[in-house]
Amino acid sequence: MNDLLTDSFEIPRDQASGVGDIEMGSHGPSGSGDHGMENFLHKVEDVNKQIEKLNKLLKKLQDAHEESKTVTKAASMKVIKQRMEKDVDEVGQIARSVKSKIEELDRENLLSRQKPGCGKGTASDRSRMGTTAALKKKLKDKMAEFQVLREKIHREYREVIERRVYTVTGTRADEETIDRLIDTGDSEQIFQKAIQEQGRGQIMDTVAEIQERHDAVRELERKLLDLQQLTYLLTIVHD
């Protein structure tokens, strides 16, 4: 949490020790002179913990995506798909909760300005505003990392599909064929010749895996785009 406080304001000497104790986790009794900063910093700490959860979920999603690139069975792809969707849903819940908490801090910051010694431009006001702005940026930057993952999933999905088609047919499909396959997930028609030559059972396993992968990518992209919209809404909250 220190990085959220250091650059945005300078704490007066009479408040410095109290804020330092709070940041280090030594919470003494709240005095009338702290201008409600102890409660404020508790909430900041809670938001930071939630953002750290987002970081761990991002890592899980990145690892699951890498794992999915080597999967060749529909059942295995389905397991990864369900795991990733569960994690993305949790990301959405946490991100919305964090956004709500930051909006609450925004409102409390404005109310705080009405207290004696806490008006606009005072040390406590600069502390609150600077720290809240830093939290917004931190969440926005983390959500941007999820959008980078979304773009990576989309790009590498195409590469996986191209490899699947080449492995089954022995030829490289043209751009239009790959685009159609990415849009629909229906690969059976593309593999008709291979089905005749190699047998329907073996090829249909690949068809099922491609369809499962198509459904997974589409759903993940949709949910990750929802997160992008949430980030936009955060930027228009009061600064």
Side-chain angles (χ1 to χ4, degrees), residues 5-219:
L5 299 172
T6 304
D7 298 330
S8 57
F9 69 100
E10 199 172 272
I11 306 174
R13 289 172 182 263
D14 61 347
Q15 296 179 27
S17 60
V19 173
D21 289 343
I22 293 166
E23 289 188 77
M24 294 301 291
S26 175
H27 307 296
S30 177
S32 59
D34 77 349
H35 303 299
M37 287 301 295
E38 182 172 1
N39 183 52
F40 172 79
L41 291 173
H42 272 303
K43 292 182 178 181
V44 170
E45 183 178 4
D46 179 54
V47 169
N48 273 315
K49 287 178 179 178
Q50 295 298 305
I51 293 176
E52 181 56 31
K53 287 183 181 179
L54 292 178
N55 197 48
K56 291 178 180 178
L57 285 166
L58 175 62
K59 181 64 167 61
K60 285 179 66 178
L61 286 166
Q62 289 169 334
D63 290 345
H65 170 61
E66 292 302 316
E67 181 185 350
S68 75
K69 285 157 45 175
T70 62
V71 164
T72 58
K73 299 293 184 182
S76 300
M77 188 62 224
K78 185 173 184 178
V79 170
I80 295 175
K81 167 189 167 186
Q82 291 172 341
R83 197 167 76 227
M84 292 182 77
E85 287 181 354
K86 178 177 177 294
D87 286 340
V88 172
D89 286 341
E90 187 175 355
V91 168
Q93 291 169 5
I94 293 174
R96 286 172 176 80
S97 173
V98 170
K99 175 178 176 289
S100 176
K101 290 176 187 294
I102 293 175
E103 289 173 338
E104 182 182 349
L105 288 175
D106 261 323
R107 291 190 293 270
E108 290 179 359
N109 290 346
L110 293 180
L111 289 174
S112 176
R113 286 178 171 177
Q114 300 174 20
K115 299 176 182 178
C118 299
K120 185 173 182 179
T122 58
S124 64
D125 181 59
R126 295 198 309 275
S127 167
R128 286 174 170 273
M129 293 299 179
T131 303
T132 305
L135 284 177
K136 292 179 186 180
K137 184 179 186 304
K138 196 170 184 180
L139 178 60
K140 183 179 178 182
D141 289 348
K142 187 55 59 182
M143 291 297 98
E145 292 184 51
F146 283 98
Q147 296 313 310
V148 169
L149 175 61
R150 177 181 63 82
E151 292 164 4
K152 180 181 174 70
I153 289 173
H154 181 82
R155 180 178 66 255
E156 294 184 347
Y157 169 53
R158 184 182 191 89
E159 294 170 0
V160 169
I161 294 300
E162 288 174 344
R163 287 199 301 272
R164 290 287 183 277
V165 172
Y166 180 74
T167 299
V168 173
T169 67
T171 59
R172 299 197 181 279
D174 57 41
E175 292 289 317
E176 183 179 348
T177 298
I178 295 298
D179 287 341
R180 186 170 69 252
L181 183 49
I182 287 173
D183 285 342
T184 65
D186 183 9
S187 56
E188 186 172 355
Q189 183 177 356
I190 298 171
F191 294 148
Q192 281 300 322
K193 183 178 178 181
I195 289 172
Q196 294 170 5
E197 295 175 350
Q198 302 175 38
R200 184 175 182 84
Q202 181 178 347
I203 303 304
M204 291 309 292
D205 285 343
T206 302
V207 170
E209 180 263 322
I210 288 176
Q211 183 63 59
E212 195 69 52
R213 187 180 298 276
H214 169 269
D215 294 346
V217 169
R218 281 301 174 91
E219 186 65 11

